[in-house]
Amino acid sequence: MSTDLNQGGTSPLIAASRRLFLRRSAMLTVAGGSAAVLSGSLSRIARADNGVLSGSALPAPATQRERFLEIKKHENDHVNALVAALGGNARPKPNFQNIVKTSYSGFIQTSQALENTGVGAYLGAAPVIFNPAYLAAAGSILTIEARHAGYLNTLEADAITANALDRTSNPSFDMALTADQVIAAAGPFIKDLNGGPAIGYSNTPSDENDIAILNFALALEYLEAEYYNMNVHLFLGGGGNANSQ
């Protein structure tokens, strides 16, 4: 089994990250660089202090719909990027259960749990990733998962840096989860692995282990994407298929 995910060229996951960086760099140049960005941020803070941005602590329903459509798109994009990076080594999509929620509050709470688990999962696996390019790519997903988690923590009126094991704590440093902790959290949603490899990885860095880690991440991203694909349209509209936005 080949363990070189870059064989034949740059990984689509790495290439996508580079293209995103170049696009953002170009946007900053057109806007006048970092000074303009900082000026805009300070102006926004000043308007908030003057009450211009004041209002309910929770976003309006229309805004919640926009945010969850964004989150759903992100998770499906993560799946597509990991599948492309792994190529023939990509695991099949597991079969899931207990995915569809029966209340909006249940949907929000489970979303919060999944996103915080994702943050802890990526952080726990990061020190074991052997290839620096894959570490950088995984980090680019981790930071998006963390933004999702922060949004959902705030939506639930919990501490913004609450984690998967403690919704009331407000640490300055995030908490990594072991593979076993992640598997225990995700297990109730997984009916079977659809013939794919076991979910997990070794703590010994290697090229082969990188494939196990990326497949570990892919299983979680499949779960999150399926969860939002099945629930967002039920509670907020916007269609139920994986590509709807």
Side-chain angles (χ1 to χ4, degrees), residues 195-225:
I199 299 175
Y201 56 86
S202 167
N203 287 324
T204 302
S206 68
D207 286 326
E208 185 173 0
N209 195 49
D210 277 356
I211 292 179
I213 292 173
L214 292 184
N215 267 317
F216 171 81
L218 178 56
L220 297 179
E221 296 296 346
Y222 269 134
L223 170 57
E224 290 180 310

Side-chain angles (χ1 to χ4, degrees), residues 42-117:
L42 292 175
S43 175
R44 183 175 178 84
I45 293 171
R47 293 199 305 273
D49 288 342
N50 289 330
V52 176
L53 300 181
S54 63
S56 172
L58 295 180
T63 302
Q64 289 184 30
R65 177 181 181 277
E66 292 171 1
R67 296 294 83 80
F68 276 104
L69 288 174
E70 289 174 352
I71 291 172
K72 182 176 78 165
K73 180 182 185 302
H74 298 162
E75 302 301 357
N76 282 283
D77 286 348
H78 294 169
V79 166
N80 293 336
L82 288 168
V83 168
L86 283 161
N89 292 313
R91 69 179 316 120
K93 178 181 175 181
N95 292 312
F96 297 111
Q97 61 186 4
N98 305 319
I99 290 289
V100 179
K101 310 309 293 184
T102 58
S103 70
Y104 187 60
S105 61
F107 165 65
I108 297 294
Q109 290 167 7
T110 303
S111 298
Q112 180 189 27
L114 286 174
E115 296 296 341
N116 277 290
T117 298

Side-chain angles (χ1 to χ4, degrees), residues 158-184:
D158 290 325
I160 193 171
T161 60
N163 56 59
L165 299 183
D166 190 344
R167 290 174 54 177
T168 62
S169 66
N170 190 25
S172 297
F173 303 94
D174 223 326
M175 180 190 66
L177 294 178
T178 67
D180 287 343
Q181 287 174 314
V182 175
I183 294 166

